[in-house]
Amino acid sequence: MARGGFAQWGNDLYTGRRSYPIVQKRGLWFSIVGLFSAASILVLVFQGLNLGIDFRGGSEFTVSGVSSTDEDIALDAVAEVAPGQEPHVSRVGTDGVRVQVSELDNDQTNQLQDGLAQAYGVQASEVTTNFIGPTWGQSVSMRALWGTVTFIVAAALFMAIYFRAWRMSVAAIVAMLADVLVSAGVYALIGWEVTPSTIIGFLTILGFSLYDKMVVFDKVRENTVALTEQTRSTYAERANLAVNQTLVRSINTSVVALLPVAGILFVGGFLLGAGTLKDISLSLFVGIAVGATSSIFLATPLDVALREGEPKIAAHTKKVMDLRAGLAAEGVDESVLAAAASGSAQLVPGHHRGHTAQPKRRR
């Protein structure tokens, strides 16, 4: 789409001349989100997350200055010293190998250090060792869990106070939890290690997701001020207009955020093999994409589904639909009714059977 065309498209979405029935098709979006969430749960249950050594504890060996980063060399060396171990081997940079195993005693640690040095043809001083106890891993896991829970509770309270509508807060929190669930499912499916950097990435996802939903909900609130004082459109239609009005902003923000993250993911994950860059960039990339999508297709439709259960909103919706049915029976053109519902025009009673639509004036 040309630049002018994209700008015109965005302007049409904002004014309501063009509109996509996103909220109206919320049943479809809920089904898709439910399907992805169920698939993520299955992956997490049957395959699980590949927890890094910081969470499960164990011994870590880093071999530097190797001429070959072949993982099979490390696997054979571990098998000779500690049969039955299931080591995690990864490449570090262009001339390094990291080997992670379960807890070893001092003799096994020294033997594996020498074995790795001999296998890769380097001096023993080029093989560094590091031990992380299970207590430390449990402590890191609990801190990560409490950090996530604290953020979610604080975000829920903030949104409930800011919007003065607990249903918006619930919708946003459910959407954010879906973001984390799907992101975790993708992470588990790929099989990359979950490290503290991954947790930082997930927390960043929550922040981005909250920001995006705040922008959309702020527009929903603006469009639904004095909702019951008019009979042109329902809460669902005003909320759908808000989603369309912020659609271009959501796309632009997501693309701008994804491009540098994609560059970090490619360079860190596939060229350098750097663990920290790879861990945090993958969680960010998946989370930003999922978070932007949920802001459009899940958060606002869920808010509408919750708000339509309110007696006041339900009564207003019925009033609008009854009035619209009466106007249609009088012969008002369907395109006029559709324009009024989308927010691009308002119905003005005529002197005869029909009605006409006049463009809305915006300050």
Side-chain angles (χ1 to χ4, degrees):
M1 185 181 294
R3 181 177 180 181
F6 185 80
Q8 183 62 47
W9 177 65
N11 183 68
D12 289 345
L13 287 174
Y14 192 85
T15 58
R17 284 193 293 267
R18 184 193 299 263
S19 180
Y20 298 104
I22 296 173
V23 169
Q24 287 74 10
K25 293 185 177 181
R26 55 185 176 274
L28 174 62
W29 314 133
F30 293 164
S31 299
I32 294 175
V33 172
L35 180 63
F36 275 97
S37 298
S40 299
I41 292 174
L42 290 175
V43 171
L44 290 170
V45 170
F46 291 101
Q47 182 168 330
L49 290 169
N50 182 16
L51 297 178
I53 194 171
D54 294 281
F55 295 99
R56 53 185 167 79
S59 299
E60 181 180 79
F61 300 81
T62 303
V63 188
S64 305
V66 300
S67 58
S68 172
T69 56
D70 187 1
E71 296 180 1
D72 291 334
I73 298 176
L75 294 176
D76 293 338
V78 173
E80 291 182 4
V81 175
Q85 285 272 4
E86 295 183 2
H88 296 267
V89 183
S90 58
R91 182 166 57 93
V92 181
T94 57
D95 61 348
V97 176
R98 180 183 293 116
V99 182
Q100 296 177 345
V101 295
S102 300
E103 182 179 354
L104 301 175
D105 56 34
N106 291 334
D107 291 338
Q108 288 177 319
T109 300
N110 294 332
Q111 291 176 17
L112 185 53
Q113 183 177 14
D114 294 337
L116 288 172
Q118 183 177 0
Y120 280 103
V122 298
Q123 298 293 324
S125 58
E126 297 295 328
V127 182
T128 59
T129 63
N130 184 31
F131 172 72
I132 298 176
T135 303
W136 170 262
Q138 294 175 3
S139 175
V140 172
S141 301
M142 289 303 299
R143 289 178 181 179
L145 177 61
W146 279 112
T148 304
V149 171
T150 301
F151 178 90
I152 292 174
V153 172
L157 292 175
F158 172 76
M159 294 193 69
I161 295 172
Y162 180 77
F163 290 112
R164 300 181 181 87
W166 65 266
R167 291 171 179 83
M168 276 190 176
S169 178
V170 170
I173 295 304
V174 170
M176 285 196 298
L177 291 177
D179 296 342
V180 175
L181 177 60
V182 174
S183 300
V186 173
Y187 213 93
L189 185 64
I190 294 177
W192 285 2
E193 278 191 346
V194 177
T195 66
S197 298
T198 308
I199 302 302
I200 293 173
F202 282 138
L203 291 176
T204 306
I205 290 170
L206 292 176
F208 177 86
S209 179
L210 176 63
Y211 165 75
D212 207 37
K213 290 164 182 57
M214 287 282 291
V215 172
V216 179
F217 281 163
D218 205 42
K219 195 63 181 177
V220 172
R221 184 178 64 169
E222 177 184 330
N223 288 356
T224 55
V225 171
L227 173 75
T228 57
E229 298 177 8
Q230 54 82 43
T231 55
R232 293 190 305 273
S233 52
T234 64
Y235 184 88
E237 291 164 348
R238 291 290 183 93
N240 189 71
L241 175 62
V243 175
N244 280 270
Q245 288 174 325
T246 55
L247 184 60
V248 172
R249 190 216 63 85
S250 295
I251 294 174
N252 288 339
T253 303
S254 301
V255 170
V256 169
L258 284 174
L259 285 177
V261 174
I264 296 173
L265 177 61
F266 178 76
V267 173
F270 299 100
L271 293 184
L272 299 179
T276 301
L277 289 178
K278 180 179 69 175
D279 298 339
I280 194 171
S281 59
L282 176 64
S283 59
L284 285 176
F285 185 87
V286 175
I288 290 173
V290 173
T293 304
S294 72
S295 298
I296 299 170
F297 297 103
L298 178 59
T300 303
L302 182 57
D303 169 63
V304 171
L306 294 173
R307 291 297 299 271
E308 285 188 337
E310 294 182 39
K312 184 178 180 180
I313 299 298
H316 177 262
T317 299
K318 184 178 184 304
K319 181 180 179 180
V320 173
M321 299 308 294
D322 289 344
L323 176 61
R324 197 171 296 169
L327 292 173
E330 293 179 10
V332 177
D333 189 84
E334 291 184 0
S335 62
V336 175
L337 297 175
S342 66
S344 62
Q346 58 183 349
L347 292 173
V348 179
H351 297 289
H352 305 289
R353 288 179 58 193
H355 290 69
T356 58
Q358 296 182 354
K360 292 180 67 177
R361 294 183 179 180
R362 296 181 180 273
R363 294 182 179 181

